[in-house]
Amino acid sequence: MIKKIFGEFLPEYKMFNSRLLISGHISDTYLIESDKGLFVLQKLNHYVFPNIPGLMQNKVLVAAHLAQDKMFLHQVLRFYPAKNNLYYFYDDNGNYWNLMDHIGNSKVLNKTENAQQAHEAGKAFGHFISHLNHFDANQLIEVIPGFHKMSFRFQQFDQTLTLALPERRKMADQWIEQVLSQREKMHQLQYLHEAGEIPLRVTHNDTKLSNILFDENDRALAVIDWDTLMPGIVHYDFGDSVRSICSTAVEDETDLNKVQFNTEFYQNYHRGFLSEVETILSATEKELLPLAAQTITFIMGLRFLTDFLNGDIYYKTKYPEHNLHRAANQLTLVNRMQSVLE
Ligand code: GN1
Ligand code: MG
């Protein structure tokens, strides 16, 4: 199966072996060994991404922009067209695939080990945003409409709440109360954006630590996973990385005492990020970065909670309370951040 798909992209190459590299919450990614080197083959989830041709176009346009930028320091993802001349292949089972180069001598970190890594991660995501400063965001489609829009996520939550099974609702009681009580505050960024106070940029929208490839000396080599590239505000990217990079626990840690906000990592991340975007961000954008950390951590908690109440239809789960535990984890992190960031 994988061999056949790979052959749709590079028919003259011989595939020796393939293995599942990353199984994200949404898509599956395979490492391909061939006679001409390593490649990464990704299966895209078209239930989550309704417009895959548009998504691929976003990635290819951004890759072309960054590849011609001599000052861009990281490796740029390179996508291969399929025999059909498109950058994706649609298989008989209704799945979409895309192929890219593998970036060698690299590693992924799932948890920040030291402040230097946090600083480097901040620089990496800041560098990415700053080199897309002159790329017109309107060229990109909104891959998932309303992806980080708080009112949209609350609309989904409100609707789900009325339909949820009483048993699940009861289990989630404490967290439902928390999201309802923080509702107003968590809309602030959206309102400021809608009022024209925060500009639209090109953002990555999934800036977790594991979406950076590091070399053996913990230097960033590349920012990966470009599926959610679309117009957004800088706060989405800053906030999303703080939630993963500055937490002392992984996203589904169930012992909430272990979920703490690491202030030293935050300061380092913030410093690294600003060193790249200092001159392109407005004063307002910079002032709102601490609120962004809370808002994006919150929106993840809200989405996990909604999916739990909905019977786990969006994220992959390994056990029945998995989404509830993720929600509890993220909403606890929001509370820990509050005392430091306000
Ligand atoms: C999803 O599939 P993955 O792990 O790259 C999600 C992100 C969440 C993340 C939580 C398209 O990303 O928004 O932050 O899970 N992506 C989508 O770990 O919903
Ligand atoms: Mg992703």
Side-chain angles (χ1 to χ4, degrees):
M1 164 74 172
I2 298 289
K3 204 171 206 150
K4 182 183 167 299
I5 309 281
F6 179 68
E8 291 292 334
F9 288 88
L10 294 172
E12 66 281 19
Y13 290 25
K14 255 183 100 144
M15 182 184 116
F16 298 140
N17 200 9
S18 75
R19 69 179 165 88
L20 188 64
L21 192 62
I22 313 158
S23 186
H25 290 348
I26 310 289
S27 302
D28 289 331
T29 307
Y30 297 84
L31 181 70
I32 308 290
E33 282 173 39
S34 82
D35 58 344
K36 299 209 179 75
L38 299 173
F39 296 89
V40 172
L41 183 67
Q42 184 200 28
K43 181 168 85 177
L44 286 160
N45 182 327
H46 59 280
Y47 294 106
V48 168
F49 297 112
N51 179 359
I52 291 190
L55 174 155
M56 282 312 302
Q57 166 139 320
N58 281 2
K59 299 207 287 190
V60 169
L61 285 173
V62 167
H65 179 87
L66 293 177
Q68 53 79 43
D69 178 349
K70 299 272 181 296
M71 306 295 277
F72 185 68
L73 296 174
H74 298 144
Q75 294 191 44
V76 177
L77 298 186
R78 194 155 69 118
F79 301 96
Y80 287 87
K83 284 194 286 196
N84 59 16
N85 281 325
L86 302 168
Y87 281 92
Y88 57 88
F89 172 69
Y90 182 61
D91 75 16
D92 296 340
N93 300 322
N95 295 311
Y96 289 82
W97 300 81
N98 70 118
L99 184 78
M100 64 207 116
D101 273 339
H102 175 256
I103 297 179
N105 299 318
S106 61
K107 65 174 180 188
V108 164
L109 299 170
N110 287 313
K111 240 176 116 225
T112 318
E113 292 152 359
N114 55 57
Q116 180 53 36
Q117 289 174 350
H119 185 258
E120 184 68 12
K123 272 175 56 184
F125 285 128
H127 194 67
F128 194 79
I129 285 223
S130 78
H131 284 262
L132 290 170
N133 193 32
H134 295 299
F135 184 98
D136 178 10
N138 294 312
Q139 283 187 12
L140 303 184
I141 65 145
E142 207 181 344
V143 183
I144 299 178
F147 191 52
H148 278 148
K149 188 171 179 180
M150 195 61 77
S151 57
F152 171 64
R153 295 305 183 183
F154 261 106
Q155 208 180 313
Q156 292 180 319
F157 169 79
D158 289 339
Q159 200 179 11
T160 301
L161 201 53
T162 60
L163 304 169
L165 290 174
E167 192 196 333
R168 285 212 163 200
R169 204 188 145 124
K170 193 153 165 276
M171 287 164 77
D173 214 24
Q174 174 190 355
W175 309 109
I176 295 172
E177 249 175 64
Q178 177 174 335
V179 298
L180 291 175
S181 73
Q182 294 174 328
R183 190 179 197 127
E184 260 320 293
K185 176 180 171 186
M186 297 303 167
H187 277 81
Q188 279 178 32
L189 283 179
Q190 181 185 333
Y191 295 153
L192 287 166
H193 173 50
E194 286 166 354
E197 305 275 328
I198 307 174
L200 206 60
R201 302 181 169 280
V202 176
T203 48
H204 178 284
N205 300 302
D206 193 10
T207 51
K208 54 188 171 193
L209 185 62
S210 57
N211 278 339
I212 299 175
L213 297 181
F214 288 90
D215 72 9
E216 55 185 353
N217 301 315
D218 288 350
R219 292 279 161 213
L221 288 173
V223 167
I224 58 168
D225 187 3
W226 293 5
D227 301 331
T228 47
L229 268 173
M230 62 184 132
I233 60 176
V234 65
H235 304 92
Y236 297 162
D237 282 1
F238 181 83
D240 201 12
S241 32
V242 170
R243 87 178 174 91
S244 82
I245 291 167
C246 309
S247 174
T248 55
V250 290
E251 187 179 78
D252 48 11
E253 171 61 57
T254 54
D255 180 352
L256 298 179
N257 290 320
K258 290 194 184 146
V259 183
Q260 300 293 337
F261 183 57
N262 187 316
T263 316
E264 191 202 1
F265 289 180
Y266 176 76
Q267 285 162 347
N268 276 275
Y269 183 84
H270 185 257
R271 199 159 46 80
F273 190 80
L274 271 190
S275 71
E276 294 286 334
V277 297
E278 185 84 61
T279 56
I280 67 158
L281 297 192
S282 70
T284 308
E285 283 179 298
K286 285 182 223 171
E287 271 162 32
L288 292 166
L289 293 176
L291 177 61
Q294 299 171 61
T295 306
I296 301 302
T297 309
F298 178 89
I299 211 168
M300 294 306 161
L302 179 64
R303 289 174 60 198
F304 287 135
L305 182 61
T306 304
D307 201 35
F308 174 74
L309 294 170
N310 224 346
D312 310 320
I313 56 171
Y314 185 86
Y315 297 107
K316 290 182 199 159
T317 50
K318 296 206 170 101
Y319 59 95
E321 300 89 28
H322 204 164
N323 272 321
L324 180 62
H325 289 158
R326 289 170 177 148
N329 176 307
Q330 297 293 288
L331 294 170
T332 299
L333 188 58
V334 173
N335 295 339
R336 308 266 199 254
M337 283 177 177
Q338 252 168 10
S339 53
V340 181
L341 298 180
E342 283 174 12

